[in-house]
Amino acid sequence: MIITDTHTHLYSEAFADDRNEMIQRAIDAGVSRFFIPAIDSTYTEAMLQLEKDFPLHVFLMMGLHPTSVKENYQEELALVEAQLAKRDFYAIGEIGIDLYWDTSTLEIQKKAFKHQIQLAKKYKLPIVIHCRDAFDDVFEVLEEEKSDDLFGIFHCFTGTLEQAKRAISFNMKLGIGGVVTFKNGKIDQFLNLIELKHIVLETDSPYLAPKPYRGKRNESSYIIKVLEKLSELYALPQEKIAEITTQNSKDIFKI
Protein backbone atom coordinates (compact mmCIF):
# COMPACT_ATOMS: atom_id res chain seq x y z
CA MET A 1 0.00 0.00 0.00
CA ILE A 2 1.55 3.28 -1.17
CA ILE A 3 0.24 6.35 0.66
CA THR A 4 1.00 9.86 -0.56
CA ASP A 5 1.14 12.88 1.73
CA THR A 6 0.53 15.67 -0.76
CA HIS A 7 1.25 18.47 1.71
CA THR A 8 3.71 18.27 4.60
CA HIS A 9 6.18 20.82 6.00
CA LEU A 10 8.88 18.31 6.91
CA TYR A 11 11.48 21.09 7.14
CA SER A 12 9.56 22.78 9.97
CA GLU A 13 11.36 23.77 13.16
CA ALA A 14 8.80 21.61 14.96
CA PHE A 15 10.80 18.58 13.76
CA ALA A 16 14.24 19.91 14.66
CA ASP A 17 14.86 17.27 17.33
CA ASP A 18 13.65 14.16 15.52
CA ARG A 19 13.14 14.92 11.82
CA ASN A 20 14.78 11.80 10.40
CA GLU A 21 13.06 9.50 12.90
CA MET A 22 9.70 11.14 12.21
CA ILE A 23 10.12 10.69 8.45
CA GLN A 24 11.19 7.08 8.94
CA ARG A 25 8.07 6.43 11.05
CA ALA A 26 5.97 7.63 8.13
CA ILE A 27 7.87 5.51 5.60
CA ASP A 28 7.45 2.47 7.87
CA ALA A 29 3.70 3.18 7.95
CA GLY A 30 3.53 3.07 4.14
CA VAL A 31 3.80 6.80 3.44
CA SER A 32 6.50 6.80 0.80
CA ARG A 33 5.74 10.04 -1.11
CA PHE A 34 6.01 13.46 0.55
CA PHE A 35 5.19 16.65 -1.36
CA ILE A 36 6.77 19.68 0.28
CA PRO A 37 5.20 23.14 -0.06
CA ALA A 38 7.29 26.29 0.07
CA ILE A 39 6.61 29.24 2.41
CA ASP A 40 9.24 31.84 1.55
CA SER A 41 12.96 32.16 0.86
CA THR A 42 13.93 31.62 4.50
CA TYR A 43 13.05 27.92 4.10
CA THR A 44 14.55 27.24 0.67
CA GLU A 45 17.85 25.81 1.93
CA ALA A 46 16.08 23.54 4.42
CA MET A 47 13.83 22.22 1.64
CA LEU A 48 16.77 21.51 -0.63
CA GLN A 49 18.57 19.70 2.20
CA LEU A 50 15.48 17.58 2.84
CA GLU A 51 15.48 16.52 -0.81
CA LYS A 52 19.17 15.57 -0.57
CA ASP A 53 18.54 13.51 2.57
CA PHE A 54 15.48 11.66 1.19
CA PRO A 55 15.80 11.78 -2.62
CA LEU A 56 13.47 8.82 -3.24
CA HIS A 57 10.66 10.19 -1.09
CA VAL A 58 10.71 14.00 -1.10
CA PHE A 59 9.28 16.14 -3.92
CA LEU A 60 9.56 19.91 -3.72
CA MET A 61 7.22 22.75 -4.65
CA MET A 62 8.22 26.39 -5.05
CA GLY A 63 6.17 29.46 -4.22
CA LEU A 64 5.35 32.28 -1.81
CA HIS A 65 2.83 31.53 0.95
CA PRO A 66 0.13 34.21 1.31
CA THR A 67 1.03 34.96 4.93
CA SER A 68 4.56 35.78 3.71
CA VAL A 69 3.22 38.34 1.22
CA LYS A 70 4.55 41.54 2.81
CA GLU A 71 6.05 44.83 1.59
CA ASN A 72 8.96 42.88 0.04
CA TYR A 73 6.73 40.41 -1.82
CA GLN A 74 8.13 41.38 -5.22
CA GLU A 75 11.65 40.50 -4.06
CA GLU A 76 10.35 37.16 -2.78
CA LEU A 77 8.58 36.47 -6.09
CA ALA A 78 11.82 37.24 -7.92
CA LEU A 79 13.54 34.58 -5.79
CA VAL A 80 10.74 32.12 -6.64
CA GLU A 81 11.28 32.85 -10.33
CA ALA A 82 15.04 32.39 -9.97
CA GLN A 83 14.54 28.95 -8.39
CA LEU A 84 12.09 27.91 -11.11
CA ALA A 85 14.56 28.94 -13.80
CA LYS A 86 17.35 27.02 -12.09
CA ARG A 87 15.81 23.58 -11.52
CA ASP A 88 12.64 21.47 -11.65
CA PHE A 89 9.85 21.55 -9.10
CA TYR A 90 6.62 19.56 -8.97
CA ALA A 91 4.18 22.40 -8.26
CA ILE A 92 3.81 26.09 -7.49
CA GLY A 93 2.74 26.19 -3.90
CA GLU A 94 1.60 26.88 -1.50
CA ILE A 95 -0.02 30.01 -2.87
CA GLY A 96 -3.34 31.71 -2.37
CA ILE A 97 -5.07 34.08 0.03
CA ASP A 98 -5.18 34.12 3.85
CA LEU A 99 -7.42 36.68 5.56
CA TYR A 100 -7.31 35.06 8.99
CA TRP A 101 -4.10 36.78 10.11
CA ASP A 102 -4.10 39.99 8.09
CA THR A 103 -6.78 41.50 5.87
CA SER A 104 -4.74 44.63 5.09
CA THR A 105 -2.59 42.75 2.56
CA LEU A 106 -5.50 41.42 0.50
CA GLU A 107 -4.68 43.37 -2.66
CA ILE A 108 -1.01 42.36 -2.76
CA GLN A 109 -1.98 38.78 -1.84
CA LYS A 110 -4.22 38.74 -4.91
CA LYS A 111 -1.40 40.11 -7.08
CA ALA A 112 1.07 37.52 -5.77
CA PHE A 113 -1.49 34.74 -6.26
CA LYS A 114 -2.24 35.74 -9.86
CA HIS A 115 1.44 36.14 -10.69
CA GLN A 116 2.24 32.66 -9.38
CA ILE A 117 -0.68 31.10 -11.25
CA GLN A 118 0.82 32.60 -14.40
CA LEU A 119 4.21 31.11 -13.48
CA ALA A 120 2.51 27.72 -13.09
CA LYS A 121 1.05 28.02 -16.57
CA LYS A 122 4.43 29.07 -17.97
CA TYR A 123 6.13 26.00 -16.47
CA LYS A 124 3.10 23.72 -17.03
CA LEU A 125 2.90 22.96 -13.30
CA PRO A 126 -0.02 22.44 -10.92
CA ILE A 127 -0.80 25.00 -8.24
CA VAL A 128 -1.38 24.16 -4.58
CA ILE A 129 -3.82 26.62 -3.03
CA HIS A 130 -3.88 27.90 0.53
CA CYS A 131 -7.28 29.44 1.35
CA ARG A 132 -8.20 30.69 4.81
CA ASP A 133 -11.28 32.86 5.36
CA ALA A 134 -10.99 33.74 1.67
CA PHE A 135 -13.07 31.45 -0.53
CA ASP A 136 -14.75 34.30 -2.43
CA ASP A 137 -11.45 36.05 -3.14
CA VAL A 138 -9.70 32.83 -4.17
CA PHE A 139 -12.56 31.90 -6.50
CA GLU A 140 -12.50 35.41 -7.98
CA VAL A 141 -8.82 35.03 -8.94
CA LEU A 142 -9.37 31.48 -10.23
CA GLU A 143 -12.25 32.70 -12.38
CA GLU A 144 -10.00 35.37 -13.91
CA GLU A 145 -7.25 32.82 -14.58
CA LYS A 146 -9.47 29.91 -15.56
CA SER A 147 -8.10 27.87 -18.48
CA ASP A 148 -7.34 24.32 -19.57
CA ASP A 149 -3.79 24.64 -18.24
CA LEU A 150 -4.90 25.70 -14.75
CA PHE A 151 -5.03 22.70 -12.41
CA GLY A 152 -3.86 21.58 -9.00
CA ILE A 153 -4.94 21.01 -5.41
CA PHE A 154 -7.14 23.00 -3.07
CA HIS A 155 -5.02 22.26 -0.01
CA CYS A 156 -6.64 21.68 3.40
CA PHE A 157 -10.15 21.92 2.01
CA THR A 158 -12.59 22.97 4.77
CA GLY A 159 -15.45 24.47 2.79
CA THR A 160 -19.02 23.48 2.00
CA LEU A 161 -20.26 20.98 -0.58
CA GLU A 162 -21.05 23.87 -2.92
CA GLN A 163 -17.52 25.28 -2.49
CA ALA A 164 -16.06 21.80 -3.05
CA LYS A 165 -17.91 21.49 -6.35
CA ARG A 166 -16.77 24.96 -7.39
CA ALA A 167 -13.14 24.16 -6.56
CA ILE A 168 -13.39 20.96 -8.62
CA SER A 169 -14.80 22.99 -11.53
CA PHE A 170 -11.42 24.77 -11.72
CA ASN A 171 -9.60 21.42 -12.22
CA MET A 172 -8.66 21.23 -8.55
CA LYS A 173 -8.40 18.12 -6.41
CA LEU A 174 -9.42 18.54 -2.78
CA GLY A 175 -6.65 18.06 -0.23
CA ILE A 176 -8.19 16.22 2.73
CA GLY A 177 -6.37 16.05 6.05
CA GLY A 178 -6.95 15.92 9.79
CA VAL A 179 -10.00 18.21 9.72
CA VAL A 180 -12.07 15.32 8.30
CA THR A 181 -11.65 13.54 11.66
CA PHE A 182 -12.84 16.52 13.77
CA LYS A 183 -16.35 16.48 15.26
CA ASN A 184 -16.84 20.10 14.19
CA GLY A 185 -14.95 19.75 10.91
CA LYS A 186 -18.20 19.34 8.94
CA ILE A 187 -16.61 18.09 5.71
CA ASP A 188 -17.22 14.50 6.87
CA GLN A 189 -20.95 15.20 6.50
CA PHE A 190 -20.78 15.48 2.70
CA LEU A 191 -17.39 14.22 1.54
CA ASN A 192 -18.72 10.89 0.29
CA LEU A 193 -20.89 12.85 -2.16
CA ILE A 194 -17.63 13.84 -3.90
CA GLU A 195 -16.14 11.16 -6.16
CA LEU A 196 -12.81 9.82 -4.89
CA LYS A 197 -11.17 10.80 -8.18
CA HIS A 198 -11.25 14.39 -6.87
CA ILE A 199 -9.53 13.64 -3.52
CA VAL A 200 -5.90 13.57 -2.39
CA LEU A 201 -4.60 12.94 1.13
CA GLU A 202 -2.44 15.32 3.15
CA THR A 203 -1.37 16.09 6.71
CA ASP A 204 -0.16 19.72 6.59
CA SER A 205 2.16 18.55 9.35
CA PRO A 206 3.16 19.86 11.85
CA TYR A 207 -0.31 21.49 11.82
CA LEU A 208 -3.87 20.13 12.07
CA ALA A 209 -3.20 16.74 13.64
CA PRO A 210 -6.13 14.32 13.26
CA LYS A 211 -7.96 12.70 16.14
CA PRO A 212 -6.77 11.30 18.52
CA TYR A 213 -3.72 13.59 18.23
CA ARG A 214 -5.67 16.84 17.81
CA GLY A 215 -3.88 19.77 19.43
CA LYS A 216 -0.50 18.01 19.30
CA ARG A 217 2.26 18.18 16.71
CA ASN A 218 1.12 16.54 13.52
CA GLU A 219 3.41 14.25 11.52
CA SER A 220 3.13 12.43 8.21
CA SER A 221 2.56 8.98 9.75
CA TYR A 222 -0.73 10.30 11.19
CA ILE A 223 -2.14 10.35 7.66
CA ILE A 224 -3.22 6.80 8.50
CA LYS A 225 -6.00 8.34 10.64
CA VAL A 226 -7.20 10.33 7.63
CA LEU A 227 -7.07 7.18 5.52
CA GLU A 228 -9.11 5.29 8.13
CA LYS A 229 -11.76 8.03 8.18
CA LEU A 230 -12.10 8.07 4.40
CA SER A 231 -12.33 4.28 4.38
CA GLU A 232 -15.28 4.61 6.76
CA LEU A 233 -16.96 7.47 4.82
CA TYR A 234 -16.62 5.79 1.43
CA ALA A 235 -17.16 2.24 2.71
CA LEU A 236 -14.03 1.08 0.89
CA PRO A 237 -10.91 -0.74 2.11
CA GLN A 238 -8.02 1.50 3.18
CA GLU A 239 -5.89 -0.06 0.44
CA LYS A 240 -8.37 1.11 -2.19
CA ILE A 241 -8.48 4.65 -0.79
CA ALA A 242 -4.65 4.73 -0.77
CA GLU A 243 -4.49 3.41 -4.34
CA ILE A 244 -6.97 5.92 -5.76
CA THR A 245 -5.65 8.96 -3.90
CA THR A 246 -2.04 8.14 -4.76
CA GLN A 247 -3.01 7.79 -8.43
CA ASN A 248 -4.74 11.17 -8.17
CA SER A 249 -1.51 12.66 -6.81
CA LYS A 250 0.40 11.15 -9.75
CA ASP A 251 -2.10 12.71 -12.16
CA ILE A 252 -1.47 16.11 -10.58
CA PHE A 253 2.27 16.04 -9.92
CA LYS A 254 3.22 13.83 -12.90
CA ILE A 255 5.33 11.55 -10.74
Side-chain angles (χ1 to χ4, degrees), residues 60-246:
L60 303 184
M61 310 180 203
M62 181 45 58
L64 181 63
H65 192 290
T67 60
S68 290
V69 175
K70 309 289 186 189
E71 297 78 12
N72 70 334
Y73 81 98
Q74 288 173 317
E75 293 168 35
E76 283 286 334
L77 288 176
L79 293 171
V80 167
E81 291 191 45
Q83 285 292 331
L84 288 167
K86 189 187 298 185
R87 51 154 292 162
D88 291 337
F89 290 90
Y90 293 94
I92 306 294
E94 63 189 281
I95 65 175
I97 301 174
D98 188 313
L99 299 180
Y100 179 81
W101 297 106
D102 187 357
T103 58
S104 71
T105 57
L106 174 59
E107 288 311 309
I108 58 173
Q109 284 192 53
K110 281 184 179 177
K111 286 178 182 175
F113 187 24
K114 284 187 68 131
H115 183 74
Q116 292 182 96
I117 289 173
Q118 288 158 9
L119 286 175
K121 290 177 179 177
K122 175 182 175 181
Y123 286 97
K124 296 180 170 51
L125 292 173
I127 61 172
V128 173
I129 298 173
H130 172 107
C131 172
R132 193 168 186 191
D133 292 355
F135 274 105
D136 289 345
D137 294 294
V138 165
F139 285 143
E140 178 189 316
V141 173
L142 291 177
E143 193 63 51
E144 291 169 3
E145 293 293 331
K146 190 173 184 178
S147 64
D148 290 341
D149 55 355
L150 174 66
F151 67 107
I153 296 172
F154 217 105
H155 145 65
C156 190
F157 183 80
T158 55
T160 63
L161 176 59
E162 182 185 356
Q163 289 166 333
K165 289 178 177 176
R166 190 154 186 215
I168 291 165
S169 77
F170 292 110
N171 298 325
M172 298 295 145
K173 307 286 188 199
L174 306 181
I176 303 298
V179 172
V180 77
T181 70
F182 299 172
K183 275 187 179 173
N184 61 349
K186 297 182 180 175
I187 59 172
D188 62 317
Q189 297 170 18
F190 66 79
L191 195 62
N192 63 353
L193 300 177
I194 303 288
E195 286 185 77
L196 264 177
K197 68 181 181 180
H198 301 302
I199 304 292
V200 291
L201 305 185
E202 63 167 67
T203 58
D204 199 21
S205 62
Y207 315 107
L208 293 172
K211 283 174 60 184
Y213 308 107
R214 190 174 182 183
K216 299 178 181 176
R217 184 191 77 170
N218 197 7
E219 58 179 73
S220 283
S221 64
Y222 296 170
I223 204 168
I224 297 297
K225 296 299 177 186
V226 179
L227 187 64
E228 288 173 0
K229 185 65 177 180
L230 265 64
S231 175
E232 175 191 318
L233 292 175
Y234 284 93
L236 287 171
Q238 291 179 36
E239 291 78 8
K240 192 65 179 172
I241 302 285
E243 178 190 334
I244 294 171
T245 54
T246 283

